[in-house]
Amino acid sequence: MPRVPNYERVAADIRRQIEAGELKPGDELPSTRKLQEHYGVGNNAVYMAVTLLTREGLIEGHQGKARYVVDRS
Amino acid sequence: MPRVPNYERVAADIRRQIEAGELKPGDELPSTRKLQEHYGVGNNAVYMAVTLLTREGLIEGHQGKARYVVDRS
DNA sequence: CCACATTTGTCCGTATGTATC
DNA sequence: AGATACATACGGACAAATGTG
């Protein structure tokens, strides 16, 4: 097994982009498809990653639309 | 889709058992298989559930062994 | 309003790696 | 060596919401 799971890698990279300001509050995240292609992982890995980030309050999902970076003070 | 996802149902039920003292610190959780059969769900739903509980610090997983209820003061 | 495409959210079955007994 | 169990991953599928025409 990878020492670091795909879903952690993906979550960590998105987290980094948010903290670095590359992704700002209100910004849309790339779609699941794009993330899969970008990171070379499957849908479940992306799903796990965004689920964790959602539980952490960093992003919000909106069915039918997109996921957005949350404006947390 | 169900208003309440399977993985939330499973996580919520295990959480309840821990908080009710039916599962005590140090106790083993049923295996993934048992949980699948008990709740009538697939492995991913169980995996998501225990991943959430692990992130919440309620349980700990030990590869090759079992998952244990954490003794949190 | 209806049809369609897109996207999120969820689920399943299956498979592999690794750790323990 | 073998059985068992956790941890992870993939691909495929369908529901629900949204947007567009």
Side-chain angles (χ1 to χ4, degrees), chain B residues 30-50:
Chain B
S31 72
T32 303
R33 278 273 171 60
K34 296 279 181 58
L35 293 175
Q36 287 185 50
E37 289 161 10
H38 181 28
Y39 293 104
V41 302
N43 62 347
N44 274 324
V46 171
Y47 179 45
M48 285 289 297
V50 298

